[in-house]
Each structure stands twice: as structure tokens, then as C-alpha cells.
Amino acid sequence: MRGIVMWGSLTMAVATMAGAQERTAPVPGSNPIIRDKFTADPAPLVVGDRLYLYVGHDQAERDQMFNMREWLVYSTTDMRHWTDHGPIMKVADFKWAKADAWASQAISRNGKYWFYAAVEHDDTHPGKAIAVAVSDKPTGPFVDAKGSALITNQMTPKGTHSWEDIDPTVFTDKDGTTWIAWGNRQCYIAKLKPNMIEIDGPITEITPPHFEEGPWLHERNGTYYLTYASLDRSKHRDERVSYATAPSIKGPWTYRGELTGSGKYSFTIHPGIVEYKGDWYLFLHNATLAIGDLNGAIGRRAVTVERLRYNKDGTMQPVVQTDAGITAPAK
């Protein structure tokens, strides 16, 4: 009888645990949206009815800060279920680069897909650099399109440090001209030639208030937006997201303030903005994810997404980062 009671109790305990796990299982599409890998620096791209999301792959162990060797791409048609297309490229595929598969963005142009990414250049051009790769498909494979860096640290000599040339964002304006912006502490912008692998004209500095890194360019209803990771060192320890607007890609840029707070447990944050199926979305990252015995950290981040809404005057409404993300009822 005692054995039956004990077995019954054990069965009830297992059932209770299973029920608890079932109740706490993440809702598809809730944050973070990718849970089997640490991912960072999200960059969305819409192609037809599918949204592709390019991310860096955080592989830092224990006390490492960053360990990033490849870029991944995921896709969705419903913002809730994501298909893993695997690595699209490794930093080693750029023969002139020696490390650091940092933030990237892909863009469609001339029937091809162009991929811009920050890497560490070899000793021929010390410092961070921006690479460009190309593919016939959004899922790759991508190959080095130039055989050398598009932008090196030596091309921005007024900068204050060797890692200022990172975090590229690419944007094609209504007149067909493609622009690239990038930077850390200083924000730069330049026009790209139609071949997509050369700078066309001067590099201009457009650094907005509290700019730290991670710029993102987009346009809506004739207003141009420069959204970025900001850090007001007099008030905060962790990056937040701020933005500026302009009547054209050439400015002048007007600072509009903070869009989000910091990513939970994360020093860094990185915005990616896109319109998809009539709604606007803001992709970010935080450090809330745990995988096995590895918790989130500065080098182990996780991509999130929230709805983005605009006021009638074109300003963006502040975004509160949540666990529910886009699975929360739309307001």
C-alpha cells in the first residue's frame, strides 16, 4: 500500500512538473525569438512575403567578452515561427580579415543581395573595417564581393580610436542612390557607387547626441530616421536606443530623444527597423537567455522584437521592451 501511495505521489509530482513546464513553455514569437543560440545585432530584410533576419552569433565561453566568428540568417512569414537557414558566411571568408564577425546588414539591389559587415582587418590596415559580400539569394552563400575592405580605419582619420568603423547600415533612397552609415562614437555616412562595392564621394560625419554605435537608416512618409545605440555617460551605464530625423538623407538631422531603455542585463543594444505586411517592427537584443549552463552576458546576447508605432507628426512612440514582444495583444 505504501508503495502504491509513493508511486502515486511520484506520478502526481511528475505530472505537476510537466504541467508547470507546459505552462512556462515560451509562446512562439515571444522574446527572445531565437532560443537555441546566442544571437546579436539584428538586421531585418523583407523579400516578398518573407522577412529575413541577419544576426551575429555570440559564442563566448565563461569569462570571454565577445567571440563571434560567423553570421546567421533566419526567416519568417508570420513573425512567430522562425526558420534557421544556418551560417551564411564566416569571418574567415574575408581573407584579409583576421577576426570578429560583428554587426551586419543585407540589402537587395541589382538582382543580388549585398551583405555589409564589421570585421577586424589584418595588420596591413590595423583596426576595424567594413566588408561587403554578395549572393544571388538572401540565404547565401555569400562571397567576398571586393577582395578587400570597403572601409578601413585609415579612411576616417579624425576618429578617436581603432574600432570606430563598425556597424554598417545600408539604405537605398527613392532616387535609387544607396547610402551607407556606420561608426562608434563618431557616426559617418557616404554614398555607394552603383556597383555597391565602392564609396562614391566624400565621407561625412553626422554624429547625433550621445551616439555610441549601431546606426540604422530608414524612411517613412518622407521623413528619414537615424536610429542608434546611445550612451549618455553622465546618466547611464548601459546603451539605450535614441534617434534623429531629417527631411532628406542629407539632413539636417534633428535629435528626437530616446526610443527605448537598455536591453535587460546587456551593456550593448542594437536597433533594426522594418515594415512588414503593413506593420512596423523594432528588433533589438538583450542578455536574458540561458542555454545549458551559460547565462546571458556581454558576449552572449539574444535577439528580441517589439512593435513600433508612430505619432501623427512622424515621431516614434517610446518602446517598452517586454517578454511577450509581438505576441502581446496589439494596441
Side-chain angles (χ1 to χ4, degrees):
M1 186 72 174
R2 183 181 178 187
I4 294 174
V5 171
M6 289 180 64
W7 178 256
S9 300
L10 179 60
T11 302
M12 289 180 62
V14 171
T16 301
M17 290 174 62
Q21 289 177 349
E22 193 172 301
R23 288 194 300 273
T24 59
V27 176
S30 60
N31 290 325
I33 58 176
I34 309 300
R35 295 175 181 264
D36 64 335
K37 298 181 182 73
F38 292 110
T39 55
D41 304 325
L45 171 68
V46 173
V47 181
D49 69 345
R50 186 170 289 271
L51 187 154
Y52 293 88
L53 186 66
Y54 298 83
V55 298
H57 184 192
D58 275 346
Q59 300 179 71
E61 298 288 342
R62 297 303 173 192
D63 297 329
Q64 289 180 319
M65 183 177 292
F66 294 112
N67 182 359
M68 306 179 75
R69 302 189 293 271
E70 62 184 8
W71 297 273
L72 313 175
V73 66
Y74 296 82
S75 73
T76 186
T77 57
D78 63 5
M79 292 299 294
R80 283 166 171 75
H81 301 88
W82 292 86
T83 300
D84 182 354
H85 298 281
I88 58 164
M89 202 171 190
K90 299 181 182 298
V91 69
D93 295 330
F94 297 108
K95 303 304 181 185
W96 48 269
K98 66 179 184 180
D100 296 342
W102 283 14
S104 65
Q105 188 182 345
I107 190 172
S108 175
R109 186 71 197 260
N110 304 331
K112 295 183 180 295
Y113 297 90
W114 303 88
F115 179 74
Y116 298 83
V119 298
E120 179 73 15
H121 206 294
D122 66 20
D123 293 342
T124 61
H125 293 284
K128 288 292 186 288
I130 293 175
V132 54
V134 66
S135 175
D136 293 326
K137 299 186 297 182
T139 54
F142 284 83
V143 297
D144 189 344
K146 187 176 173 67
S148 60
L150 171 67
I151 297 165
T152 66
N153 186 242
Q154 291 69 38
M155 294 169 65
T156 52
K158 293 183 180 180
T160 57
H161 51 292
S162 67
W163 62 94
E164 66 169 344
D165 297 288
I166 63 171
D167 297 358
T169 178
V170 279
F171 168 78
T172 299
D173 207 352
K174 295 176 182 178
D175 64 0
T177 303
T178 301
W179 297 80
I180 183 168
W182 71 97
N184 178 285
R185 309 280 178 86
Q186 291 82 34
C187 185
Y188 300 104
I189 193 169
K191 188 189 304 182
L192 287 173
K193 289 185 178 180
N195 64 15
M196 302 296 281
I197 62 171
E198 294 178 277
I199 298 294
D200 185 6
I203 293 172
T204 304
E205 184 179 348
I206 55 167
T207 308
H210 312 305
F211 178 84
E212 187 69 13
E213 56 191 351
W216 186 272
L217 291 169
H218 80 283
E219 180 270 340
R220 177 183 176 273
N221 295 341
T223 297
Y224 293 75
Y225 297 81
L226 174 64
T227 309
Y228 55 94
S230 61
L231 185 59
D232 182 349
R233 286 178 167 78
S234 68
K235 297 180 180 179
H236 307 302
R237 294 188 305 169
D238 298 332
E239 294 178 351
R240 300 175 172 224
V241 174
S242 296
Y243 76 105
T245 63
S248 82
I249 193 68
K250 296 180 180 179
W253 294 97
T254 300
Y255 178 62
R256 299 297 185 184
E258 290 183 354
L259 181 62
T260 77
S262 58
K264 193 172 183 180
Y265 306 140
S266 178
F267 165 72
T268 68
I269 199 166
H270 192 107
I273 294 173
V274 73
E275 182 183 20
Y276 181 56
K277 296 186 176 180
D279 293 313
W280 285 89
Y281 297 96
L282 171 65
F283 289 85
L284 304 159
H285 66 229
N286 61 30
T288 61
L289 182 66
I291 300 176
D293 61 351
L294 290 176
N295 293 319
I298 192 171
R300 292 189 294 275
R301 296 158 295 178
V303 167
T304 65
V305 63
E306 304 287 350
R307 288 188 177 90
L308 181 62
R309 298 178 177 87
Y310 296 81
N311 297 310
K312 290 182 179 180
D313 64 359
T315 56
M316 295 189 285
Q317 295 180 14
V319 174
V320 176
Q321 298 173 72
T322 65
D323 293 335
I326 56 91
T327 67
K331 295 180 181 179

